[in-house]
Amino acid sequence: MSSSRKSKNSLTFIDDINPIHDQNKIKVLILRLWKAYQRDAGNTIEMVLVDEKGSRIHATVEDKNIKKFDSVLKEGDVVTLNPFKLIKYSGDYKSNSLSFKILFYRTTQVKPCDDFPKEVPEKYFVEFGDVLNGSRDTRVFVDVIGQIVNVGPIEDIKIRGKSTPKLDVELRDRGNVRLICTLWADFAKQVKVYTEANPAAVVCVIRCAQVKEWKGNWTISNAMGATRVLLDPPGVFVDEFRSGLPTDGEGMCVTMVTVGSVERTSKWYYVSCKMCNKSVEPYPENSGDDGNPPLYYCGVCDKDVSAVVFRYRLVLEVSDATNYKARFLLFDAMGSTLLRRTAQELYNAVSENDPSILPSEIGALVGRRFLFKVSIGGDNLKSDRSHYVVQLFSDDDELIKDYSDSLDSEVLVPLPVTPITKEASVRRGGVSVENPKPPAKKIKIEGKKEESFATT
């Protein structure tokens, strides 16, 4: 007689765990471990575990079992766990999006294991734009990777009568999108010391960061004991990120332009994996004819996925007052802010007829005038057809008039991003505005005439 019962020696990946069973056996790296105190549960050991496929699950050891497991659970160790209980995972903050977590039995066996890859797929890194546009669930921690481009001063903040160090750092991604990260306590001191000792480009990886909003501004911060901050860590993923960073010669500028058309040689959107946010490859069109969602292949997760999200990759052909033409590229965060609708919403509105049809909201951009803050990279200096990536924008009439008036006197007014040393700024349209800086000088791009750009 056959039995459906699993062999007790068989391993289960986290994504395949059945919450009904208590005989799941997993092989995991203890990615993060810390001790906590909860009013209703007392002292606990909290852990973030990751398997060979890069999937994570949260685990807890209750107060009554701490003595047994305290000496055998170490951050960075690879272990097999079996058996354990799976309970509802809820609360204000979570280290992953699963609805359940592991609770250790007193009978749970923890056995060391050395058969584990040096690197696992990275599924939890998020795009800066998804943080900045407020689309992330603030209850679920995220991973980020960025180059540290600005470090503020350490401040001592009184929290419950105790002085706590606080440090703001500015990170940029490969698209030169900027994100503020607030670090507290030991993290603040460690990052300050490291960046002062290493003036070259520092790549920062933050695991289990908390997404926060304050007066309309979205940032990240370390969260309780879960967060891990790594500075210039080794690994292929970090090497690939570093190689894709903008060159040191890249600059920023602000220009006033009119949208002449929307580029139609490529789609205004791309399809991304819901888990890792990276673009996916489609299967033949009939892959969804069986009634199930269409399948795509995700190269980052290295598997077929059906959970996908449509994101903006919108190219606007614009011209300035001198009739100089350029192509401005808006990724998802800027596209969502500009159009006040997500790419998924616009795609759903036209997909039943023809997804190649340009949504009316995008077509309505033609003829409108904007101030755009764009990054200038090496490719822009080599080719007229290279995109300028939009970082900020405004269609505020007052700002546009002020900028236009300044052009008449040949003084270009910069619209800077709010510096991390400022405590407050005023939001107008999509641009963060603060006290004016000294007038910027015109810049000249080699091989082109002097343009209406202002450096920041």
Side-chain angles (χ1 to χ4, degrees):
M1 185 175 80
S2 64
S3 172
S4 60
R5 190 168 190 162
K6 286 186 178 181
S7 166
K8 62 182 180 180
N9 293 320
S10 62
L11 291 169
T12 302
F13 291 111
I14 289 173
D15 290 340
D16 300 325
I17 284 178
N18 188 336
I20 298 176
H21 297 158
D22 62 2
Q23 286 296 331
N24 296 289
K25 182 179 181 181
I26 59 174
K27 178 172 64 177
V28 290
L29 166 70
I30 302 176
L31 186 68
R32 191 66 172 147
L33 181 149
W34 71 100
K35 294 181 179 179
Y37 174 80
Q38 303 174 37
R39 184 174 299 177
D40 58 341
N43 294 309
T44 63
I45 296 176
E46 304 294 331
M47 288 169 286
V48 179
L49 311 176
V50 60
D51 68 13
E52 296 178 59
K53 291 189 174 182
S55 298
R56 296 179 189 172
I57 191 168
H58 196 94
T60 297
V61 178
E62 293 178 314
D63 195 343
K64 62 183 180 181
N65 292 325
I66 287 180
K67 186 175 181 180
K68 177 181 178 182
F69 293 104
D70 193 22
S71 61
V72 297
L73 295 170
K74 303 295 182 184
E75 185 172 299
D77 282 358
V78 176
V79 297
T80 58
L81 301 177
N82 170 261
F84 48 81
K85 186 178 182 179
L86 291 160
I87 63 173
K88 183 178 180 181
Y89 186 26
S90 58
D92 293 336
Y93 302 105
K94 299 169 61 178
S95 61
N96 61 77
S97 59
L98 292 178
S99 61
F100 54 87
K101 70 173 181 176
I102 288 174
L103 183 67
F104 275 51
Y105 288 127
R106 186 166 185 80
T107 56
T108 299
Q109 291 186 339
V110 180
K111 294 185 177 180
C113 177
D114 56 7
D115 179 20
F116 201 81
K118 292 183 179 179
E119 296 191 37
V120 299
E122 298 288 359
K123 298 182 177 181
Y124 298 87
F125 282 101
V126 298
E127 301 287 346
F128 284 11
D130 289 341
V131 175
L132 295 168
N133 67 14
S135 65
R136 302 300 308 183
D137 183 348
T138 57
R139 297 169 299 175
V140 180
F141 297 153
V142 299
D143 289 1
V144 298
I145 181 171
Q147 179 194 359
I148 297 178
V149 292
N150 198 355
V151 180
I154 285 189
E155 304 175 65
D156 285 323
I157 306 297
K158 292 288 186 181
I159 300 177
R160 297 174 184 172
K162 183 180 178 181
S163 181
T164 303
K166 170 182 174 288
L167 177 70
D168 284 342
V169 300
E170 185 179 25
L171 306 175
R172 73 167 175 175
D173 64 13
R174 286 181 293 187
N176 211 20
V177 179
R178 308 296 177 100
L179 178 65
I180 302 302
C181 174
T182 299
L183 299 170
W184 297 88
D186 289 342
F187 286 132
K189 294 184 286 187
Q190 291 166 4
V191 171
K192 187 69 172 179
V193 169
Y194 187 90
T195 52
E196 288 178 347
N198 296 270
V202 174
V203 173
C204 179
V205 172
I206 305 177
R207 299 192 184 277
C208 294
Q210 182 179 354
V211 177
K212 306 189 74 173
E213 183 268 337
W214 174 250
K215 295 183 178 180
N217 294 318
W218 290 90
T219 64
I220 59 171
S221 173
N222 63 289
M224 303 177 291
T227 303
R228 192 179 186 198
V229 178
L230 305 171
L231 301 172
D232 290 329
V236 174
F237 185 82
V238 174
D239 291 342
E240 290 177 348
F241 173 83
R242 191 188 297 275
S243 66
L245 283 170
T247 62
D248 292 337
E250 183 170 300
M252 289 282 193
C253 67
V254 171
T255 185
M256 181 176 66
V257 297
T258 300
V259 178
S261 62
V262 179
E263 185 178 77
R264 302 300 301 276
T265 56
S266 60
K267 293 180 180 179
W268 53 269
Y269 63 87
Y270 70 97
V271 188
S272 68
C273 172
K274 197 170 185 178
M275 177 64 73
C276 70
N277 297 329
K278 303 302 182 183
S279 61
V280 294
E281 301 171 2
Y283 279 101
E285 292 183 359
N286 60 359
S287 66
D289 287 352
D290 57 0
N292 295 317
L295 280 178
Y296 299 82
Y297 174 71
C298 177
V300 176
C301 298
D302 191 23
K303 66 179 181 179
D304 293 339
V305 297
S306 59
V308 296
V309 177
F310 289 75
R311 298 177 183 275
Y312 286 108
R313 191 186 184 281
L314 181 61
V315 178
L316 303 179
E317 297 176 339
V318 303
S319 60
D320 65 9
T322 68
N323 205 35
Y324 175 78
K325 292 180 172 58
R327 301 159 78 217
F328 283 8
L329 171 61
L330 293 89
F331 284 112
D332 199 57
M334 285 296 101
S336 297
T337 306
L338 176 63
L339 295 164
R340 295 182 173 86
R341 294 187 69 183
T342 66
Q344 185 74 57
E345 290 172 336
L346 293 191
Y347 178 84
N348 290 342
V350 301
S351 60
E352 291 186 3
N353 299 315
D354 184 351
S356 66
I357 295 175
L358 194 68
S360 58
E361 290 88 344
I362 296 178
L365 296 174
V366 176
R368 291 180 60 185
R369 188 167 59 167
F370 294 93
L371 290 174
F372 282 120
K373 181 184 179 78
V374 298
S375 57
I376 304 174
D379 289 343
N380 298 123
L381 304 182
K382 298 174 184 176
S383 172
D384 287 338
R385 297 299 296 167
S386 295
H387 304 112
Y388 294 90
V389 178
V390 173
Q391 307 296 335
L392 293 171
F393 77 91
S394 178
D395 57 356
D396 183 273
D397 291 337
E398 183 180 345
L399 283 177
I400 290 175
K401 182 179 184 304
D402 290 345
Y403 191 92
S404 181
D405 291 345
S406 72
L407 292 180
D408 294 338
S409 59
E410 295 189 353
V411 177
L412 304 181
V413 181
L415 280 71
V417 180
T418 306
I420 62 177
T421 53
K422 293 286 183 181
E423 294 182 356
S425 64
V426 179
R427 296 286 295 181
R428 288 181 177 177
V431 177
S432 184
V433 183
E434 58 174 338
N435 295 330
K437 290 184 177 179
K441 296 180 180 179
K442 288 184 178 180
I443 63 171
K444 186 174 183 179
I445 297 180
E446 186 176 353
K448 303 177 183 179
K449 61 179 179 294
E450 197 169 47
E451 301 173 16
S452 301
F453 284 145
T455 57
T456 60

